[in-house]
Amino acid sequence: MKKIAFLSPTGTFDNGAEISIFYLMKVLKAEGYQVINVAPASFPHLEKSYREQFATIDVPVFFLPRNKWWWEEAPGLTYGTAGERAASYRDNIAQIRQLLVSEKVDLLITNTVNMFQGAVAAACEDLPHFWLIHEFPENEFAYYLDKLDFVAENSEAVFAVKGQLTTDLQQKLPSKVVRSFIPYTEVSATTPQKGQQRRIVSVGRLTPRKNQLELLEAYHRLSEPRPPLVFIGAWDDEYKKKVDAFIRSHHLKDVSFTGGKADPWVEVKDQDLCVLPSAMETFGLVYAEALLKGVPVIFSDNPGHLSAYDHFGGGHLYPSGDIAALQKQLTAVLADFPQAVTLAKKQAKSAREKYQPAIAYGAILEGLQTDLPYQPKPLRHLAAVLSLNEEKSRLTRTEKRVRQFSNRGKAWLKRRFGNSDS
């Protein structure tokens, strides 16, 4: 049986890519595959929680220190100089190569298009490589359109989230077959606990992409008395400031925030209406979870939500960005809430039949069971250069001397002239 290494994007469970592929690894373990996970190092408490979660499915995690884990052009914080980041990339490639050899890995799978180190390491070791793509090439992820030739040339198989993303990428990669998968997560069959009052809830981190301000706009337009509105999830600080400012300026009452929760659905009660106003999703994992829990849900028609809707059916769509339409949907569903609950429970049964690991990951499992033709990659000719650790190279020593000289100069200027930075 094959031994598979996964290259993970964040080393945290605050995003759909990590959550869904955790369950793919769980399925693979149950099928008899050996699995290891390689992730970027972060903070000790996050690493501990992440490692403990993978221990429940007997998958070891190898954390690698890095300057930047994603492509240089990808979103995210950037540390160090360009030379230091290049050295860090090469160091990570060398470490991944060492793991592939020491762990006797047969296949490497990169989980999201945002990392390239795994593809390079696999090419250097003459190992097959799969790519799983979760992101539409738009907005902050538009940068990877320029990388698709690299993706195609350095993978035996490319898999994208089912629906519009697969369609879009297949058009952009006509020479490569783009297969589909469905992001999967386990949702308990327990029904929501009894609630004391009718509420509107929104599950997910407060971010511009999740677009909770659109819900607040529609909520503000509802006739009084309005039901309580509860946001379940952590937040990006800058976006939370905008949300708070809107609440204050419109004198909204009964709006509350739970903060991050290990299981957000514990917070959802049987009297709740879930609203998901995301501006963009790749598939709509939270929408799927709401359906599976039998919770009435209103959701925007972004491409990812539409892909999930095509698979599941169910719920109440509104045109993304159309606040009047969202207000109308809220009013209609709240006015006939018992019927909405009855329909949601009926749809939950159908959704569970369509949402099984064998269906969600069918194409990936088939790809693993098939001996896909392996073509040696031209990158292998640069194996020594691509994974050269330049920690003590002339370039790095020069940069270090320049920084030391600059710091000594600034210290002398400060002693001589006070706080001058000139």
Side-chain angles (χ1 to χ4, degrees):
M1 191 62 77
K2 294 175 181 174
K3 187 168 187 177
I4 303 169
F6 281 83
L7 193 70
S8 290
T10 64
T12 60
F13 280 104
D14 61 359
N15 60 89
E18 288 273 12
I19 292 169
S20 64
I21 303 307
F22 170 84
Y23 290 106
L24 172 57
M25 295 189 214
K26 184 175 181 179
V27 169
L28 293 175
K29 289 291 294 186
E31 293 278 334
Y33 291 93
Q34 298 179 67
V35 181
I36 66 171
N37 186 19
V38 183
S42 55
F43 299 99
H45 69 285
L46 294 176
E47 291 178 14
K48 180 175 182 292
S49 173
Y50 188 80
R51 195 189 300 276
E52 287 174 349
Q53 184 70 12
F54 275 96
T56 65
I57 59 172
D58 193 28
V59 171
V61 179
F62 298 87
F63 289 106
L64 302 185
R66 86 287 187 220
N67 277 29
K68 184 164 184 175
W69 191 244
W70 290 11
W71 289 93
E72 183 80 354
E73 302 89 342
L77 296 175
T78 300
Y79 301 99
T81 66
E84 288 170 335
R85 290 192 297 277
S88 177
Y89 283 134
R90 285 190 286 272
D91 197 32
N92 288 154
I93 292 167
Q95 291 167 324
I96 296 168
R97 289 183 63 191
Q98 291 168 7
L99 280 172
L100 295 178
V101 173
S102 64
E103 295 294 321
K104 297 181 172 60
V105 170
D106 299 300
L107 165 72
L108 191 145
I109 299 177
T110 295
N111 180 27
T112 89
V113 73
N114 289 309
M115 299 95 66
F116 63 90
Q117 302 93 312
V120 176
C124 291
E125 295 299 328
D126 272 332
L127 290 177
H129 175 255
F130 286 3
W131 225 307
L132 311 183
I133 302 180
H134 300 255
E135 305 82 3
F136 276 93
E138 300 175 1
N139 301 316
E140 70 265 42
F141 297 114
Y143 83 93
Y144 87 73
L145 281 171
D146 191 46
K147 316 291 185 187
L148 287 176
D149 54 347
F150 182 89
V151 170
E153 291 176 10
N154 291 287
S155 54
E156 270 56 58
V158 174
F159 301 86
V161 171
K162 181 181 178 180
Q164 190 61 48
L165 180 60
T166 296
T167 301
D168 288 355
L169 290 180
Q170 187 61 83
Q171 292 173 351
K172 292 176 172 60
L173 290 171
S175 63
K176 195 86 174 179
V177 175
V178 180
R179 299 166 172 84
S180 292
F181 70 96
I182 297 171
Y184 179 84
T185 182
E186 288 182 355
V187 178
S188 69
T190 57
T191 56
Q193 296 179 358
K194 186 172 180 58
Q196 300 302 314
Q197 59 182 328
R198 189 76 33 82
R199 303 186 306 176
I200 299 170
V201 301
S202 189
V203 178
R205 187 179 183 90
L206 268 72
T207 67
R209 179 179 282 265
K210 297 297 183 183
N211 196 32
Q212 287 90 348
L213 277 170
E214 185 161 291
L215 171 55
L216 274 172
E217 287 270 12
Y219 179 75
H220 166 61
R221 298 183 187 185
L222 291 177
S223 300
E224 296 192 48
R226 305 181 189 92
L229 170 59
V230 182
F231 291 104
I232 303 172
W235 52 75
D236 290 357
D237 289 339
E238 289 304 311
Y239 193 70
K240 177 66 157 53
K241 290 176 183 177
K242 294 180 181 180
V243 168
D244 289 341
F246 185 94
I247 293 169
R248 286 193 304 270
S249 65
H250 292 83
H251 310 289
L252 295 177
K253 308 295 185 184
D254 289 329
V255 179
S256 60
F257 305 85
T258 68
K261 296 291 180 179
D263 183 0
W265 293 102
V266 171
E267 305 295 319
V268 179
K269 311 304 179 186
D270 68 349
Q271 294 295 307
D272 292 344
L273 166 62
C274 184
V275 183
L276 306 172
S278 297
M280 176 56 74
E281 296 284 351
T282 306
F283 183 74
L285 206 55
V286 179
Y287 159 68
E289 290 172 338
L291 286 179
L292 295 165
K293 296 295 287 187
V295 176
V297 58
I298 297 173
F299 58 106
S300 59
D301 67 347
N302 68 62
H305 277 162
L306 287 176
S307 295
Y309 181 73
D310 287 343
H311 182 74
F312 290 110
H316 307 269
L317 273 169
Y318 79 93
S320 183
D322 190 336
I323 295 168
L326 176 53
Q327 176 199 355
K328 186 176 180 180
Q329 280 278 28
L330 285 167
T331 301
V333 176
L334 289 170
D336 201 357
F337 193 74
Q339 180 179 342
V341 171
T342 300
L343 180 60
K345 289 180 178 178
K346 181 180 179 181
Q347 291 170 341
K349 181 179 179 182
S350 172
R352 287 190 177 278
E353 292 172 354
K354 298 175 182 178
Y355 199 54
Q356 300 295 325
I359 297 173
Y361 298 124
I364 298 175
L365 296 173
E366 182 182 343
L368 292 172
Q369 295 161 3
T370 305
D371 289 328
L372 295 173
Y374 174 72
Q375 293 291 331
K377 312 297 188 302
L379 279 178
R380 73 189 191 280
H381 298 300
L382 299 176
V385 175
L386 292 170
S387 56
L388 177 65
N389 184 342
E390 290 192 346
E391 198 64 34
K392 297 181 180 178
S393 71
R394 182 171 62 182
L395 172 62
T396 305
R397 291 197 305 271
T398 300
E399 287 183 338
K400 185 176 180 181
R401 285 198 300 271
V402 169
R403 288 196 301 275
Q404 289 173 341
F405 177 80
S406 176
N407 290 337
R408 286 199 300 269
K410 287 179 180 179
W412 181 85
L413 287 170
K414 186 175 182 179
R415 289 195 302 269
R416 181 68 177 81
F417 299 108
N419 291 323
S420 174
D421 291 325
S422 59

